[in-house]
């Protein structure tokens, strides 16, 4: 087996940074894949460069081991209190401090120690550090007031809940968003895309490609690539007119557009639009539009405290009975059953593992860990 060679300097590589130091703040039941996908590219870059260009430390609330949503437990290097002391005592110089703090969460966004965590993050932001998040960690940043005036992203499953909770914050559907000194990633393997972007900025695209090759990554996705929401086909594989129609549908959930208005906006006639949907998605435009709205309703019921009636109104259903019947046909259960299943899961998790939110409200539960 041929080993990867050390990346050669390239003409488009910037002057290498001496060392970038990343601090990952782990909230109980954090997403292991989001963390690993962020750390491994840095490890690989160090190996290819032959020096420690990147270093990282793990922080937990009390300095004790912290458990991921998968049940695996990791030792931490620092407690939040120790990190706070470093920030307060000027320990950001030399090799003792950090350049970036990234909050890593998983299936929920709350933390029993959020007041202290908010203070640490605000102090880091005032010191000029990069402050960011992975997976649902954008909720923590938003509640700390650190996303005001910034763009961000969050895993697609939590985006409706985030937009409902923080309507004044621009939440993108992108894989990751780097807006000045705020870095937010949508979780999962998108963490690797974000870190490869960082490596390319620090050491040039050639090294980033070398690192990606080590992980069988055939292309480095940029921030403009949108997440794949739910069971929706990848937009980029569909004809441009169909992409435009679906984008219009996704942008108009609460007040659905008429099919004729959508077709006109996409420069299509109704018959042509019908044929495109049947050919590529096996559905009529109206059926597909309704399925998008019902998927959004399900996400709202799972990840917010909104009532079924409120979820219906926010997804363009004026009749609660019509909403309930349509919801049952798509999801195989009534809206109230979805809410009860989430409450039951949260109650069980609260008694069997860490992570009950400080205010006692239900955690954000999902299917696959983002």
């Amino acid at each position: 087996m041929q080993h990867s060679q050390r990346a050669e300097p390239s003409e488009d590589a910037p002057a290498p940074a001496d060392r970038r130091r990343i601090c990952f703040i782990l909230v109980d039941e954090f997403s292991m894949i989001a963390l690993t996908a962020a750390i491994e590219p840095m490890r690989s870059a160090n190996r290819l460069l032959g020096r420690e260009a990147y270093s990282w430390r793990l922080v937990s609330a009390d300095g004790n081991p912290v458990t991921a949503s998968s049940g695996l437990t990791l030792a931490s290097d620092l407690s939040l209190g120790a990190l706070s002391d470093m920030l307060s005592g000027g320990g950001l110089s030399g090799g003792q401090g950090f350049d970036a703090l990234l909050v890593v969460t998983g299936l929920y966004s709350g933390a029993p120690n959020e007041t202290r965590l908010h203070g640490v993050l605000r102090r880091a932001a005032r010191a000029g550090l990069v402050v960011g998040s992975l997976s649902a960690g954008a909720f923590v940043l938003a509640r700390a007031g650190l996303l005001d005036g910034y763009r961000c992203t969050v895993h697609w499953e939590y985006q409706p809940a985030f937009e409902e909770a923080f309507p004044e914050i621009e939440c993108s559907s992108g894989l990751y968003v780097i807006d000045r000194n705020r870095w937010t990633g949508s979780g999962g393997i998108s963490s690797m895309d974000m870190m490869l972007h960082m490596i390319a900025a620090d050491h040039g695209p050639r090294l980033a490609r070398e690192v990606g090759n080590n992980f069988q990554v055939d292309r480095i996705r940029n921030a403009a690539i949108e997440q794949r929401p739910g069971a929706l086909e990848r937009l980029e594989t569909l004809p441009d007119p169909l992409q435009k129609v679906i984008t219009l549908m996704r942008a108009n959930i609460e007040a659905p557009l008429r099919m004729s208005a959508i077709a006109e906006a996409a420069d299509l006639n109704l018959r042509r639009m019908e044929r495109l949907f049947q050919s590529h998605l096996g559905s009529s435009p109206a059926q597909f539009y309704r399925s998008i709205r019902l998927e959004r309703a399900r996400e709202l019921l799972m990840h917010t405290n909104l009532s079924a009636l409120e979820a219906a109104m926010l997804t363009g259903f004026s009749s609660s009975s019509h909403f309930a019947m349509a919801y049952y046909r798509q999801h195989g259960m009534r809206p109230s059953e979805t809410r009860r299943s989430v409450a039951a899961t949260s109650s069980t998790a609260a008694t069997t593992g860490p992570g009950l939110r400080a205010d006692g409200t239900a955690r954000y539960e999902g299917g696959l860990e983002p």
Side-chain angles (χ1 to χ4, degrees):
M1 175 177 169
Q2 185 175 1
H3 295 284
S4 299
Q5 299 298 312
R6 184 176 301 178
E8 297 295 332
S10 64
E11 294 180 357
D12 56 358
D18 176 43
R19 183 171 63 161
R20 192 185 286 270
R21 301 156 295 183
I22 309 289
C23 172
F24 294 98
I25 301 176
L26 307 182
V27 176
D28 283 332
E29 297 193 11
F30 67 93
S31 169
M32 180 68 81
I33 190 172
L35 175 67
T36 304
I39 289 176
E40 284 298 298
M42 295 190 290
R43 177 195 61 78
S44 178
N46 287 347
R47 182 174 68 86
L48 291 169
L49 288 168
R51 63 184 181 87
E52 192 181 58
Y54 297 96
S55 64
W56 52 92
R57 293 293 182 270
L58 305 182
V59 175
S60 66
D62 51 12
N64 291 326
V66 58
T67 302
S69 58
S70 62
L72 297 175
T73 299
L74 291 183
S76 63
D77 302 300
L78 293 169
S79 66
L80 271 180
L83 177 59
S84 180
D85 291 342
M86 291 175 66
L87 293 166
S88 301
L92 296 173
S93 59
Q96 301 180 22
F98 301 101
D99 303 296
L101 271 61
L102 301 180
V103 179
V104 189
T105 64
L107 299 179
Y108 75 108
S109 67
N113 54 319
E114 242 184 20
T115 299
R116 172 178 282 186
L117 177 54
H118 289 170
V120 169
L121 293 170
R122 291 178 187 131
R123 194 170 296 122
R126 287 195 298 269
L129 277 68
V130 168
V131 176
S133 62
L134 302 177
S135 192
F139 282 89
V140 177
L141 300 188
R143 283 199 285 265
L146 294 173
L147 291 178
D148 296 345
Y150 290 86
R151 293 176 64 250
C152 72
T153 192
V154 68
H155 189 271
W156 63 263
E157 194 173 6
Y158 306 130
Q159 189 169 355
F162 186 92
E163 291 173 342
E164 180 67 22
F166 308 103
E168 72 284 359
I169 296 175
E170 183 181 354
C171 185
S172 164
S173 297
L175 292 174
Y176 60 92
V177 171
I178 295 178
D179 186 355
R180 292 159 287 171
N181 59 350
R182 298 290 186 273
W183 296 13
T184 52
S186 60
I189 61 172
S190 73
S191 299
M192 181 170 292
D193 296 290
M194 187 168 77
M195 303 312 273
L196 289 172
H197 172 91
M198 176 189 73
I199 291 168
D202 290 345
H203 301 283
R206 181 179 296 179
L207 178 63
R209 288 193 296 270
E210 288 264 356
V211 171
N213 287 341
N214 281 341
F215 299 104
Q216 310 289 358
V217 172
D218 59 352
R219 65 184 179 119
I220 300 174
R221 300 177 296 176
N222 61 46
I225 300 296
E226 290 199 348
Q227 301 175 54
R228 181 179 182 176
L232 184 63
E233 299 280 347
R234 292 185 69 89
L235 277 180
E236 62 265 31
T237 68
L238 300 174
D240 289 343
L242 199 50
Q243 291 187 40
K244 189 171 184 178
V245 169
I246 294 173
T247 299
L248 282 168
M249 290 177 173
R250 290 171 58 191
N252 293 274
I253 298 292
E254 186 172 353
L257 301 175
R258 293 181 178 274
M259 291 298 107
S260 57
I262 293 176
E264 182 178 354
D267 297 321
L268 294 169
N269 60 52
L270 282 172
R271 182 170 296 180
R272 170 64 175 158
M273 188 168 75
E274 289 273 356
R275 285 200 300 266
L276 282 171
F277 270 88
Q278 288 294 345
S279 174
H280 293 277
L281 297 170
S283 169
S284 73
Q287 290 169 336
F288 190 85
Y289 200 0
R290 185 168 56 250
S291 71
I292 292 176
R293 291 159 53 207
L294 289 167
E295 184 62 32
R296 175 67 61 87
R298 179 176 178 272
E299 291 161 7
L300 288 171
L301 290 170
M302 291 181 66
H303 306 309
T304 73
N305 292 321
L306 294 173
S307 68
L309 178 59
E310 289 170 319
M313 294 177 63
L314 287 171
T315 52
F317 291 90
S318 57
S319 163
S320 58
S321 59
H322 177 216
F323 168 68
M325 287 189 293
Y327 189 94
Y328 185 85
R329 283 196 297 268
Q330 176 152 325
H331 298 300
M333 63 175 65
R334 289 183 287 274
S336 58
E337 291 175 312
T338 296
R339 175 53 53 78
R340 284 198 296 270
S341 69
V342 172
T345 302
S346 298
S347 175
T348 300
T351 60
T352 60
L356 182 64
R357 282 181 50 179
D359 60 6
T361 57
R363 306 185 308 167
Y364 294 111
E365 291 291 344
L368 296 177
E369 174 188 281

